[in-house]
Amino acid sequence: MAAAAASPALKRLDLRDPAALFETHGAEEIRGLERQVRAEIEHKKEELRQMVGERYRDLIEAADTIGQMRRCAEGLLGAVRATDRYCARLRRAGSAAPRPPRAPQPQPSQEEFYSMAAQIKLLLEIPEKIWSAMEASQYLHATQLYLLCCHLHSLLQLDSSSSRYSPILSRFPILIRQVAAASHFRSTILHESKMLLKCQAVADQAVAEALCSIMLLEESSPRQALADFLLARKAAIQKLLNQPHHGAGIKAQICSLVELLATTLNQAHALFYTLPEGLLPDPSLPCGLLFSTLETITGQQPTGKGIGVLQEEMKLCSWFKYLPASIVEFQPALRTLAHPISQEYLKDTLQKWIHMCNEDIKTGIATLLMYVKSMKGLAGIRDAVWELLTTESTSHSWDMVCGRLLEKPLLLWEDLMQQLFLDRLQTLTKEGFDSISTSSKELLVSALQELESCTSTSPPNKHIHFEHNMSLFLWAESANDLPSDAAWVSVANRGQLGRSGLSMKAQAVSPCVQTFSSALDSKLKVKLDDFLTYLPSGDSSLSKEVTPKQAKNCAFDRYGDAGTVQEMLRTHSVACIRHITDYIRAELQSIEAAVQGQQDALGSGKLHAALFMARLCQSLAELCPHLRQCILGQSGSSEKPVRDSRALKKQGKGKPQEVVPTQAQWQEVKELLLQQSVMGYRAWSSAVVHVLAHGFAQSLLLDDAGSILATATSWDELEIQEEAESGSSVTSKIRLPTQPSWYVQSFLFSLCQEINRVGGHALPKVTLQEMLKSCMVQVVAAYEKFSEEKQMKKEGAFPMTQNRALQLLYDLRYLNIVLTTRGEEVKCARSKQDSRIEKVTDDLEALIDPFDLDVFTPHLNSNLHRLVQRTSVLFGLVTGTENQFTPRSTAFNSQEPHNILPLASSQIRFGLLPLSMTSTRKAKSTRSIDSKAQ
């Protein structure tokens, strides 16, 4: 091998000049060349040894053969010489012996002798003619020659029971071998003719001649010929279906099968169908070819037609004129007349054959389709079948042929293959989407395990760190915040896939969610692209180009099952999403049960996992555009995607929008994802509210003087004018709280921190409402517990003073204003506070002097409104957008000192910042409602 590989390199080198060789190569290269040359020499020596050894054996064998031939020739010469000597002795002995008188024998005439000689000559030449006809696939001509040979045997008495005593055989022993050789022609011609019937690419005339050969050799009827023809075609179908399967050959096999079925019916019409009397034959649609061929072969006119080819070849021979007339004019004959097959029998036989082949074809095609692994492959096979059946050569007069033979059309695609293709599509779709859902579930499990196994203090990578604290991702700058073409491409003209990093931050979509959604969308895209190859193109111009005449000429509507295929895609897409959401629901339920009642739940990985699943379900419908296209079809790709984040925020608000019937399932999927998202956020909000409310209640219930002083804030001193009993004006000073207690501020600030930590601007509105409502319920419960403990009057407890009661009342009213949005009040049409809040308020007001309470209330309300305005931006999303822009009172006192920013009368804080606000008209209505409530 090494020498063989090195020989081309050696040929390129000039080894005859050692000096040049040493100039161009180093010592090591020279040694390598030496080794190569020596290896080449050894290789050539070995080749020479093998060649000499092989030729030597051939030479010895040839010498042995020559020796045997020489000995055989010498023996033959010796035998000939011995025969000559023996004959010479006999001649001498005969001439010497007396001859007895010979009886007179009749001498045959010269003509009979020449006739017999011509027959023997013809008999000796017929086998060669038969083999020539067989090689040329002229089986009918071979059958005629074989039957002529049998006729010669009968004339020469070669096939009689006393053939061994035949005078002709005794004089011509070579005819014994000729008779034995002729006996094999029948089986050979029958076998080759039946093999030709199994071929589909054979002309009608060739099939007719093969059937005539079988009928002549087996002496059968046309009905038996029809049965032989159909059985041969059934065997051809089975052979075609049982061929070795290769991926690229499935289409060829199915197309060959369809072509074989169509060819079988067309040839059945051309061979066996006879026109009723009175109908003129159509030249483009032949029929009755078998019977016309039989009549030509076996008819009595013209004479000698059966062996015309032999006549042309033999008429120049000198012995041909001595053949008897029975041989010259020989024509094969059937025992019974070949009556035409009735149309009823032909129809019944073909219908039985189709029914008999139906199951084999369906089973075989189903088996073949098992090797097709993509919709593109199925579409290619379907289109190939469509093109095959639509071509002019195949579809020409197909309806007329089916009407004559079966009295109904034979729909090869609709009756045999369409359902098999749909079943395979169903299997491939199920396997594909099961694989997508399984891989997505595995990816989700991996992400959840990574989130739950890592603590917030030591995350393994930046993306997990962002999941632990979303605000870090939202406020971190990155290179992909803006797309490269942001300067000259508007947002309206930007494609669905051209999202910027800033838009992802605006929707609080974390990198982990983006990674998962991108992986799922890429898998759906591959599946959808594969599916679209089976569906019609979305270009409407293509469908307009197809005229009604062209549609009529088509073999079948290849896109007739597009609705079924799209429904299949839609159903499995929804099932895939349901499989993922079912797992998410189970995980969220286990997380909610695990963190319920735990005080350290805020730092646990389970809450981070719940938030990850909530964000995923919230943004999955928008980040996976191919999911929308899978469910809505090709129309879903041209429509603009709906901002799901707004839909999430408006869940449960207002009347449900009317959904187009074709988009019903897409709306169901979005609602399903919305439910899981709200469920995930609810698990997080419940844990946050429980932990913060627990700390708030503990601070509220602390009853020692130090704790009360530690939570106290500054009060404001006001001068008021009062009228004395004498009617004079008296100036007095009062002190009122202007800030809530520290634990109230800490509670609200911690709540804002937790909301902003998870990207509060993208939280669903229903989650925020539930969270604030739950906070208010927990706060009221804490105040109720506080009232109950004060009513019990424990020993050693710090007494409840009026100032403390006033601070608590101020805190409660402030919390009620902050944690209850005005939009909710307007929606629910509530004109007064909740009865529980009223009861707690009454309990606190009972601890304050009624006269002082009447004096304090207006100023307390003014401080509350000022405080709400001052803290509206600080507490952000907790106060709600409706509470951030309370209009200024019309009764403005210019002498009142201001320590807050002057507020604009409109709802736009900064002109250059477009905020998502309600309209000015709604603001005016809100003002009127507020004025009425006051």
Side-chain angles (χ1 to χ4, degrees), residues 428-503:
L428 289 177
T429 307
K430 185 177 184 305
E431 291 176 355
F433 279 98
D434 286 349
S435 175
I436 291 175
S437 61
T438 303
S439 60
S440 300
K441 180 180 175 182
E442 292 174 355
L443 185 61
L444 185 60
V445 169
S446 175
L448 294 179
Q449 289 177 352
E450 194 172 4
L451 282 170
E452 294 180 4
S453 62
C454 300
T455 61
S456 59
T457 57
S458 59
N461 57 56
K462 185 170 62 175
H463 290 176
I464 299 298
H465 194 31
F466 289 156
E467 290 293 335
H468 288 174
N469 191 349
M470 193 68 183
S471 59
L472 297 178
F473 168 68
L474 297 178
W475 296 105
E477 293 186 0
S478 60
N480 62 343
D481 280 348
L482 290 176
S484 59
D485 56 355
W488 54 84
V489 178
S490 63
V491 178
N493 296 329
R494 197 174 301 280
Q496 178 72 12
L497 301 178
R499 300 187 184 91
S500 62
L502 199 59
S503 66

Side-chain angles (χ1 to χ4, degrees), residues 307-317 320:
I307 198 167
V309 177
L310 187 61
Q311 286 182 358
E312 293 296 328
E313 294 178 354
M314 297 298 179
K315 64 182 180 180
L316 299 178
C317 298
F320 180 76

Side-chain angles (χ1 to χ4, degrees), residues 716-718 738 858-867 869-870 888-900:
D716 192 13
E717 185 175 341
L718 299 175
T738 57
H859 302 284
L860 201 63
N861 289 337
S862 177
N863 288 349
L864 275 173
H865 286 293
R866 190 180 296 110
L867 178 64
Q869 293 168 359
R870 185 184 297 119
R888 286 184 291 179
S889 174
T890 55
F892 179 71
N893 188 2
S894 60
Q895 297 178 356
E896 183 180 358
H898 298 288
N899 57 355
I900 62 173

Side-chain angles (χ1 to χ4, degrees), residues 89-303:
R89 288 198 302 269
L90 287 177
R91 283 195 296 271
R92 288 193 298 268
S95 59
R99 297 180 179 178
R102 297 173 57 183
Q105 296 181 357
Q107 295 292 333
S109 65
Q110 196 74 11
E111 289 292 333
E112 292 180 358
F113 178 77
Y114 287 159
S115 174
M116 185 175 296
Q119 294 178 43
I120 294 174
K121 175 65 175 176
L122 179 61
L123 186 62
L124 293 175
E125 290 189 0
I126 279 180
E128 183 179 354
K129 301 293 183 182
I130 293 178
W131 286 119
S132 299
M134 294 285 290
E135 290 176 358
S137 298
Q138 298 175 358
Y139 303 119
L140 182 57
H141 187 200
T143 302
Q144 292 175 285
L145 292 175
Y146 170 74
L147 294 177
L148 177 60
C149 183
C150 294
H151 182 62
L152 285 173
H153 288 174
S154 62
L155 290 179
L156 297 175
Q157 299 180 358
L158 300 181
D159 55 350
S160 62
S161 58
S162 58
S163 59
R164 77 170 54 176
Y165 304 108
S166 172
I168 298 177
L169 286 180
S170 60
R171 294 183 181 181
F172 302 97
I174 194 174
L175 294 180
I176 299 177
R177 292 188 178 183
Q178 200 71 12
V179 173
S183 61
H184 300 292
F185 283 128
R186 182 178 183 277
S187 60
T188 304
I189 296 174
L190 281 175
H191 175 73
E192 294 298 330
S193 299
K194 292 182 178 180
M195 290 299 295
L196 185 137
L197 295 181
K198 297 179 182 180
C199 300
Q200 59 183 14
V202 180
D204 297 345
Q205 183 62 40
V207 177
E209 292 180 359
L211 286 174
C212 289
S213 298
I214 296 173
M215 291 178 65
L216 292 173
L217 293 176
E218 294 184 346
E219 298 181 354
S220 56
S221 63
R223 291 190 175 187
Q224 183 62 38
L226 174 62
D228 292 340
F229 173 71
L230 295 179
L231 286 177
R233 290 304 169 91
K234 184 176 184 298
I237 291 173
Q238 292 177 345
K239 180 182 178 181
L240 190 60
L241 293 175
N242 294 329
Q243 286 181 358
H245 307 307
H246 302 287
I250 301 299
K251 178 167 68 175
Q253 283 183 259
I254 294 180
C255 289
S256 299
L257 178 63
V258 173
E259 187 177 5
L260 179 60
L261 288 172
T263 304
T264 299
L265 283 183
N266 285 324
Q267 289 184 347
H269 176 272
L271 296 174
F272 300 100
Y273 181 80
T274 54
L275 286 173
E277 295 182 2
L279 289 180
L280 296 177
D282 185 3
S284 62
L285 196 63
C287 58
L289 194 58
L290 175 67
F291 303 103
S292 61
T293 305
L294 277 176
E295 183 179 355
T296 302
I297 296 302
T298 62
Q300 298 301 320
Q301 67 278 353
T303 56

Side-chain angles (χ1 to χ4, degrees), residues 706-715 739-743 807:
S707 300
I708 294 173
L709 290 175
T711 58
T713 54
S714 62
W715 285 38
Q739 293 183 4
S741 301
W742 287 119
Y743 59 85
Q807 180 69 50

Side-chain angles (χ1 to χ4, degrees), residues 677-723:
S677 176
V678 172
M679 184 178 178
Y681 282 122
R682 186 180 294 119
W684 164 79
S685 62
S686 301
V688 169
V689 170
H690 175 78
V691 173
L692 297 182
H694 180 74
F696 173 83
Q698 283 183 339
S699 300
L700 177 64
L701 296 177
L702 290 176
D703 209 11
D704 57 292
S707 300
I708 294 173
L709 290 175
T711 58
T713 54
S714 62
W715 285 38
D716 192 13
E717 185 175 341
L718 299 175
E719 291 185 359
I720 59 174
Q721 300 289 334
E722 293 180 321
E723 186 178 355

